[in-house]
Amino acid sequence: MKTGVFLHPIFGKHDTGPGHPESLQRYNLISAELEESDFFNRGVIKLEPEKASKGIVLSTHSKELFRKIETAVRNGFGFLDSDTVVSMHSLDAALYAAGAAINAVDAVITGEIDRAFVAARPPGHHATRERSMGFCLFNNAAIAANYARQKYKEIERIAIIDWDVHHGNGTQGIFYEERDVFFFSIHQYPWYPGTGARGETGSGKGLGTTLNVPLKAFTPAAIHRSAFEAAISEIAGKIKPDLIIISAGFDAHISDPLGQLQLEDLDFQMFTKVVLQWAEEVCIGRVISFLEGGYNLETLPKTVKSHIKALAGSE
């Protein structure tokens, strides 16, 4: 098995300003953690993405959203909403993040690698079709899902698993009426952005293809793990995906300043292994994981590393 990790220096240049939790240090410390040992070997390889075209982004997002980001970046520094900041390198970073999404799809579907982790900033799961929000500019996981179905005939059904402490409202909204994309989020509730109640299950042709598991603050890790396993079992009875995408937020970690859940590295490893086992059963192990949240700079790099090790089957 071979796992590809997508890295690019531009991800460390998306400057959100002093004191912002989604800081450029997130990427720089993760990158340093992976580079400082013999982490990259025959089983885990480093890959550098290409920049996505505007057309790739517009397959998921509106022209108005793209234009708004372009204008804000051209002005040098600005807020897209109260906590979503752009600066001179932000659009490039977001386009390389989208490029990593489609490059990961190509590499996994063609068999160049078996699994992928995209260590991109800015993150993506809060970005809707029309709006950047929650630190997110473009929705990387959604771009990957749309691209995979458009380019590869063998990819008809996709499951997106989101374990960030915050509900992935953007991803949910993009696929809420889609029959062949199943979205699952397990998250703290009520919490930002206020969505993700049990009753949100999809609509139209997509009715029943959204599953939310809201958890109260300070839910014990054992209950969190049990709920995750039960949800994957439930989803497996509804869909046999041809590709599984993970929105891997690590802000459900017990030490994270932006969440109040109780997970540790071993719990994220367990989540990863549960998803991989399902993937081996239904889609020859095809899994692509995206970095979402995670804001404790002391713990995040090692947590990410342990997740990648679990993806590679070495943890």
Side-chain angles (χ1 to χ4, degrees), residues 192-214:
Y192 180 88
T195 52
R198 273 280 189 181
E200 297 170 23
T201 60
S203 66
K205 292 181 179 179
L207 185 63
T209 63
T210 294
L211 174 64
N212 286 297
V213 177

Side-chain angles (χ1 to χ4, degrees), residues 155-169:
I155 306 300
E156 297 179 354
R157 294 168 299 277
I158 294 176
I160 302 176
I161 311 299
D162 189 328
W163 65 56
D164 193 280
V165 78
H166 304 100
H167 178 242
N169 63 298

Side-chain angles (χ1 to χ4, degrees), residues 41-312:
N41 51 51
R42 286 181 295 177
V44 182
I45 60 172
K46 180 170 65 173
L47 298 170
E48 188 167 291
E50 300 169 343
K51 189 176 183 179
S53 67
K54 181 178 179 179
I56 287 292
V57 173
L58 295 183
S59 70
T60 298
H61 294 287
S62 69
K63 292 180 180 178
E64 291 74 20
L65 173 61
F66 198 98
R67 191 177 303 118
K68 182 178 181 180
I69 295 171
E70 278 186 313
T71 300
V73 169
R74 193 179 305 120
N75 290 337
F77 193 90
F79 286 81
L80 299 174
D81 74 357
S82 60
D83 55 15
T84 306
V85 183
V86 294
S87 52
M88 64 181 296
H89 296 296
S90 296
L91 181 57
D92 280 342
L95 288 172
Y96 272 100
I102 66 169
N103 291 164
V105 169
D106 287 336
V108 168
I109 302 306
T110 62
E112 178 187 347
I113 57 177
D114 301 288
R115 297 153 187 170
F117 180 75
V118 178
R121 304 182 48 253
H125 74 148
H126 292 308
T128 72
R129 192 177 303 278
E130 306 285 344
R131 179 185 175 194
S132 297
M133 60 180 287
F135 313 160
C136 304
L137 301 191
F138 303 136
N139 195 312
N140 306 315
I143 287 170
N146 282 329
Y147 175 78
R149 291 188 301 155
Q150 290 163 7
K151 182 168 182 180
Y152 295 98
K153 291 182 179 179
E154 65 265 40
I155 306 300
E156 297 179 354
R157 294 168 299 277
I158 294 176
I160 302 176
I161 311 299
D162 189 328
W163 65 56
D164 193 280
V165 78
H166 304 100
H167 178 242
N169 63 298
T171 314
Q172 174 176 293
I174 289 168
F175 297 113
Y176 205 59
E177 298 183 357
E178 290 272 356
R179 180 181 57 194
D180 295 322
V181 177
F182 196 105
F183 174 72
F184 161 53
S185 178
I186 186 167
H187 49 271
Q188 183 175 332
Y189 184 89
W191 206 234
Y192 180 88
T195 52
R198 273 280 189 181
E200 297 170 23
T201 60
S203 66
K205 292 181 179 179
L207 185 63
T209 63
T210 294
L211 174 64
N212 286 297
V213 177
L215 302 174
K216 294 180 180 179
F218 308 110
T219 294
I223 294 175
H224 195 152
R225 290 195 306 269
S226 178
F228 183 86
E229 285 189 288
I232 295 297
S233 180
E234 179 181 342
I235 299 164
K238 295 182 177 181
I239 184 173
K240 291 186 177 180
D242 304 303
L243 172 68
I244 298 175
I245 292 172
I246 302 172
S247 277
F250 299 106
D251 41 8
H253 195 283
I254 191 170
S255 70
D256 199 90
L258 296 193
Q260 296 170 320
L261 293 179
Q262 306 289 293
L263 300 181
E264 300 187 48
D265 289 6
L266 287 174
D267 302 306
F268 291 113
Q269 290 170 20
M270 173 266 186
F271 285 5
T272 307
K273 291 173 183 177
V274 168
V275 173
L276 289 180
Q277 182 177 349
W278 182 34
E280 291 295 336
E281 294 169 358
V282 296
C283 59
I284 58 175
R286 291 170 171 160
V287 174
I288 300 172
S289 179
F290 290 88
L291 176 66
E292 299 286 1
Y295 306 101
N296 184 320
L297 297 179
E298 293 183 6
T299 60
L300 179 64
K302 292 189 182 301
T303 304
V304 169
K305 190 175 184 178
S306 70
H307 169 60
I308 298 170
K309 283 184 175 180
L311 277 177

